[in-house]
Amino acid sequence: MQLDFPLERLKRKISIYDENKFQDEFVKLIRKAIVNNLPMDSTYIDELYLKAKESINKRISNPPVKKDYIEVDFIDENSNKKESFRLINNKLVKPIKTQIVAELNDYDLLVYLDKTSKKQHLSKKDKYIHYVAHKEAKKRNLVLDIEGEESGNTI
């Protein structure tokens, strides 16, 4: 069966889990256990209760992220300069260093803005990078807003 309207418009039914619903579910589970000849007694139910209570108290940690690369460091013998590479599919790749514009100090932001302004006409990506840097510089009052809000021009 297909729906005629998008799923985003479906509203979720609000339900409150109260004592009555808990009792109904609990009775249904016990009935299932009895029908399927599972051993049920009060000590077993008490054990399950304690197990459930302990599982709430345990902190659930995220599993470690599996890296699909191996970190490799090369040290130049002459200058003792250390360079990091990543081994991916038997190929050495130099990792890309990303910069978060909001974390740059004012001087570094202005230098970064100058570099991006020279490349902003090359592609949409370069234009967007310059736009983000310019927006951050404007937020810090490091550059003047020449176009102005009234002209409707944006970077």
Side-chain angles (χ1 to χ4, degrees):
M1 180 171 118
Q2 282 190 326
L3 300 174
D4 294 338
F5 55 91
L7 291 176
E8 292 86 25
R9 290 182 50 201
L10 277 177
K11 294 209 175 175
R12 193 171 171 183
K13 183 180 175 184
I14 298 173
S15 65
I16 299 172
Y17 195 75
D18 59 357
E19 189 175 341
N20 293 330
K21 286 186 181 181
F22 169 75
Q23 286 178 355
D24 291 343
E25 284 185 20
F26 192 71
V27 168
K28 287 178 186 176
L29 283 173
I30 292 176
R31 284 184 191 154
K32 278 185 185 179
I34 293 171
V35 168
N36 291 301
N37 294 325
L38 297 175
M40 293 293 297
D41 60 351
S42 60
T43 57
Y44 182 67
I45 292 174
D46 288 340
E47 287 176 23
L48 291 178
Y49 171 76
L50 292 174
K51 186 177 179 181
K53 200 168 182 178
E54 287 174 4
S55 70
I56 290 174
N57 295 335
K58 289 183 182 175
R59 183 178 176 157
I60 299 171
S61 62
N62 294 333
V65 178
K66 183 181 176 187
K67 294 182 180 179
D68 56 348
Y69 61 87
I70 299 171
E71 291 283 339
V72 179
D73 292 329
F74 287 109
I75 301 174
D76 187 12
E77 293 176 357
N78 298 331
S79 63
N80 284 339
K81 206 174 187 185
K82 182 179 177 182
E83 269 193 281
S84 295
F85 288 91
R86 293 182 178 168
L87 183 64
I88 305 172
N89 298 330
N90 295 327
K91 294 180 183 175
L92 280 177
V93 179
K94 190 166 189 166
I96 298 173
K97 293 182 182 178
T98 57
Q99 290 182 326
I100 299 174
V101 178
E103 292 177 356
L104 295 174
N105 63 31
D106 291 349
Y107 177 75
D108 290 338
L109 177 61
L110 288 173
V111 170
Y112 184 73
L113 183 65
D114 187 46
K115 286 180 184 177
T116 58
S117 66
K118 294 174 185 171
K119 296 192 316 183
Q120 69 175 334
H121 65 282
L122 296 177
S123 69
K124 284 185 178 182
K125 181 181 173 185
D126 291 328
K127 185 175 182 178
Y128 181 73
I129 289 171
H130 175 72
Y131 170 73
V132 170
H134 189 268
K135 188 175 175 183
E136 180 66 26
K138 219 166 65 172
K139 186 169 86 175
R140 297 185 196 181
N141 293 325
L142 299 175
V143 294
L144 297 174
D145 187 12
I146 298 173
E147 280 89 23
E149 305 289 326
E150 62 279 348
S151 68
N153 294 336
T154 56
I155 296 177

